[in-house]
Amino acid sequence: MTIGTKVAPFSLKPWFSERVWGKSDLKPWYEETGTTELVGEAWLTGPQCLVESGPYTGQTLASVAEKMGGEFPLLVKILFPADKLSVQVHPDDAQATAMGETRGKTECWYVLEAEPGATVALGLKPGVGAKEVAASVESGTMELLLEHVPVSVGDMLFVDAGTVHAIGPGVVLLETQQTSDVTYRLYDYGRPRELHLEKGLQVMKSKTEAGKVAPRKMDGFTRLIEQKYFVVDRFEISSRSERTVSFAGAGCLVGLTGSGVVRTPDGELALTPGRAVVVPRGDGDVVVETKAGVSFVRCVAPV
């Protein structure tokens, strides 16, 4: 978002999205979700997430961003699949605009948990096009056309717009994406949910840049991915130390393990697993301090 007013970093309360493929128990990430329904996604920087600190406490991220003259550019989530997600595809910006949407949806997945043998589907097998996909949806065989990629903890996967993809059970993923929920469902294993086959076939691409991304060691952190819409870095801070974390664009910090605090001009904010601290101004530094060790990611929308 384009900020006209200086605003200190603030904490957000996760918003839990009910999904048929989700879980009833999200421990150890969350003790309670506030619902008895299956939860598939914890939105950490969703437009409806409530601010928990500072002068905007109780307001939604969307309303705060609007006051500042824009929209928060990244939607960060944690996904908790207990069953297969539908096979789906997202448009790129140009395709989305042509279809009357605000923007496309390019995303990435960072693997937080993975059972032995866990896989995700990322892209189509060579030679597969719209005709083959349409026929496989009709025959119920679409899974056979997908490239299934084994995953383990610490893997980062780029999900380029236009990539046909799906997520299976046995993983927990941190997803960083454009702030968009434009999803075209191609195939859903016979579940009685709406498909968007016509639009999906229009925007799917037989070949994209999707795939695993090798981490890069930087000065004091690990760069997990660097793309047009987002940069995601992982930090590990040992016990009783502090680290200055720079932002060159609006973004957030998301706690993964351990605990720490983010020092701001207005005081200190807790940095704990599964919760986001938003840094709305992308032209400065924050200091993260820990007494017992903490790991976290920095998600930034490049300016």
Side-chain angles (χ1 to χ4, degrees):
M1 60 189 157
T2 303
I3 306 300
T5 306
K6 290 187 176 181
V7 175
F10 52 83
S11 300
L12 283 178
K13 182 180 181 180
W15 180 81
F16 298 103
S17 178
E18 298 169 4
R19 305 284 169 142
V20 298
W21 43 263
K23 298 178 179 178
S24 57
D25 183 354
L26 304 188
K27 295 183 182 72
W29 293 93
Y30 305 102
E31 289 297 318
E32 298 290 342
T33 62
T35 178
T36 57
E37 301 296 324
L38 299 177
V39 172
E41 302 179 349
W43 290 31
L44 308 186
T45 61
Q48 64 279 77
C49 289
L50 297 177
V51 178
E52 290 192 304
S53 67
Y56 296 110
T57 296
Q59 299 185 36
T60 65
L61 178 59
S63 66
V64 173
E66 187 176 358
K67 290 181 179 70
M68 298 176 188
E71 182 181 39
F72 192 70
L74 297 178
L75 177 52
V76 182
K77 311 173 181 177
I78 300 181
L79 309 184
F80 297 92
D83 198 356
K84 297 175 183 177
L85 276 70
S86 61
V87 180
Q88 53 192 239
V89 65
H90 310 304
D92 61 26
D93 285 345
Q95 292 169 331
T97 301
M99 291 180 165
E101 304 288 351
T102 303
R103 66 180 62 84
K105 183 177 174 183
T106 294
E107 60 191 28
C108 65
W109 304 328
Y110 182 57
V111 183
L112 301 175
E113 298 177 16
E115 296 176 0
T119 65
V120 297
L122 204 57
L124 299 166
K125 290 183 176 179
V128 175
K131 180 180 178 181
E132 290 78 16
V133 168
S136 72
V137 172
E138 183 69 25
S139 63
T141 59
M142 189 171 180
E143 287 180 276
L144 300 177
L145 304 186
L146 303 175
E147 291 282 12
H148 295 275
V149 180
V151 295
S152 56
V153 173
D155 285 345
M156 171 60 82
L157 300 107
F158 178 49
V159 189
D160 203 3
T163 304
V164 177
H165 62 275
I167 300 171
V171 295
V172 174
L173 304 176
L174 179 74
E175 180 176 276
T176 303
Q177 56 161 95
Q178 291 176 268
T179 298
S180 168
D181 206 28
V182 183
T183 296
Y184 300 138
R185 192 180 296 125
L186 296 170
Y187 180 68
D188 202 26
Y189 319 100
R191 289 185 289 219
R193 295 196 294 172
E194 180 185 6
L195 298 180
H196 316 99
L197 190 56
E198 183 178 348
K199 288 183 177 180
L201 292 176
Q202 288 180 45
V203 305
M204 60 161 268
K205 300 172 184 177
S206 296
K207 186 173 177 56
T208 70
E209 297 300 315
K212 285 188 180 181
V213 180
R216 288 191 290 143
K217 285 293 182 184
M218 309 292 279
D219 185 14
F221 61 90
T222 300
R223 175 136 297 168
L224 301 175
I225 190 169
E226 183 174 0
Q227 286 289 339
K228 175 182 178 180
Y229 300 106
F230 42 72
V231 178
V232 182
D233 300 312
R234 179 167 180 145
F235 289 75
E236 304 277 349
I237 305 180
S238 59
S239 59
R240 300 199 67 83
S241 61
E242 66 178 38
R243 183 78 51 82
T244 298
V245 181
S246 300
F247 279 80
C252 66
L253 301 177
V254 176
L256 299 181
T257 62
S259 64
V261 296
V262 181
R263 293 211 305 264
T264 81
D266 292 346
E268 295 183 345
L269 303 173
L271 183 61
T272 56
R275 300 182 80 91
V277 172
V278 169
V279 181
R281 293 175 56 226
D283 59 354
D285 301 335
V286 298
V287 175
V288 176
E289 183 179 306
T290 181
K291 294 181 179 179
V294 65
S295 67
F296 59 92
V297 292
R298 171 182 59 190
C299 307
V300 178
V303 292

